[in-house]
Amino acid sequence: AQSVTQPDIHITVSEGASLELRCNYSYGATPYLFWYVQSPGQGLQLLLKYFSGDTLVQGIKGFEAEFKRSQSSFNLRKPSVHWSDAAEYFCAVGFILTGGGNKLTFGTGTQLKVEL
Amino acid sequence: GAGVSQSPSNKVTEKGKDVELRCDPISGHTALYWYRQSLGQGLEFLIYFQGNSAPDKSGLPSDRFSAERTGGSVSTLTIQRTQQEDSAVYLCASSLSLEGPRRTQYFGPGTRLLVL
């Protein structure tokens, strides 16, 4: 069965510092990978996704992620964090359902705190 | 444009009562998903609807949970005889049926359910 591991429950960075959030997945086939962000009281917003092709994916808000098949990883990065990036970040792998749907299996999330 | 909307935003109920949670997907999105976000289990897939096809119910935790989708649009998630462990945030997502398995799911703000 597919699974996603986010080893860091909490991360604190200073504003302006670089950020890397780790994600490892387990999936038998070519994975469909996603990063979502959730601000307090809000739903999940898609940051970026990977399906195939270029392993470095650009997303919104200046985020990027790199797919590394050999390491089963899909880490999220940002070169300079802003205070508004404080939120919870979820990595997910998509599993194709019968009928064509895409069931997302999420990691447990990483809570990002930004110090001013 | 309008996103996925859910109602109510918060629901407090007594153990043993039935509750109904509503989801209005993005107009034109034929795929609809329900997820549950709880402290103990994280984000879990519950059920998937695609057009008029039979739903994929593989994530429903018990037979107290059911969902329907009327007219291929609005969906209602019903929890019968609620238990305290049902307390969670219930998230709805929708996606286009195009793009095949690469579908991006757009999430609503969720319904926070508290069972006393």
Side-chain angles (χ1 to χ4, degrees):
Chain A
Q2 69 278 12
S3 66
V4 177
T5 302
Q6 293 180 248
D8 304 305
I9 300 173
H10 299 278
I11 282 186
T12 300
V13 299
S14 299
E15 190 175 35
S18 63
L19 172 70
E20 182 170 30
L21 302 183
R22 296 183 290 165
C23 172
N24 291 95
Y25 67 90
S26 173
Y27 188 63
T30 300
Y32 299 106
L33 296 162
F34 305 82
W35 274 100
Y36 281 86
V37 60
Q38 187 177 37
S39 298
Q42 304 295 313
L44 294 161
Q45 181 183 23
L46 180 69
L47 287 175
L48 46 78
K49 59 187 177 183
Y50 170 80
F51 298 121
S52 64
D54 193 346
T55 56
L56 185 61
V57 180
Q58 301 297 320
I60 63 171
K61 304 185 180 185
F63 285 92
E64 65 177 27
E66 186 171 12
F67 170 63
K68 293 184 177 179
R69 185 184 298 275
S70 62
Q71 298 177 20
S72 297
S73 69
F74 188 56
N75 294 348
L76 182 71
R77 301 193 296 247
K78 187 170 185 178
S80 177
V81 171
H82 188 263
W83 64 266
S84 60
D85 293 325
E88 191 158 20
Y89 292 79
F90 293 91
C91 181
V93 62
F95 176 77
I96 307 305
L97 297 166
T98 303
N102 188 14
K103 164 190 168 182
L104 296 177
T105 296
F106 289 88
T108 50
T110 297
Q111 186 71 47
L112 174 65
K113 180 180 177 182
V114 180
E115 291 183 332
L116 301 177
Chain B
V4 177
S5 61
Q6 294 185 245
S7 61
S9 53
N10 291 280
K11 176 72 176 179
V12 180
T13 190
E14 294 178 348
K15 177 181 173 181
K17 296 286 179 77
D18 297 351
V19 295
E20 288 188 348
L21 312 179
R22 177 188 168 103
C23 171
D24 280 278
I26 294 172
S27 177
H29 282 194
T30 59
L32 187 146
Y33 302 78
W34 284 97
Y35 291 84
R36 178 170 70 174
Q37 185 174 25
S38 59
L39 285 176
Q41 301 297 323
L43 272 157
E44 307 170 277
F45 164 82
L46 295 177
I47 189 169
Y48 158 69
F49 294 90
Q50 174 57 57
N52 295 320
S53 302
D56 185 315
K57 306 179 183 179
S58 59
L60 294 179
S62 78
D63 58 9
R64 296 187 295 105
F65 287 73
S66 63
E68 63 178 17
R69 190 176 184 193
T70 54
S73 182
V74 171
S75 176
T76 301
L77 177 70
T78 300
I79 310 173
Q80 295 179 308
R81 305 180 303 281
T82 52
Q83 303 295 312
Q84 288 180 331
E85 61 262 29
D86 299 334
S87 296
V89 177
Y90 289 82
L91 295 168
C92 177
S94 69
S95 69
L96 289 167
S97 60
L98 301 177
E99 303 181 308
R102 306 181 177 195
R103 307 163 189 192
T104 296
Q105 295 178 32
Y106 298 88
F107 284 80
T111 293
R112 186 174 299 275
L113 174 67
L114 178 62
V115 182
L116 300 177

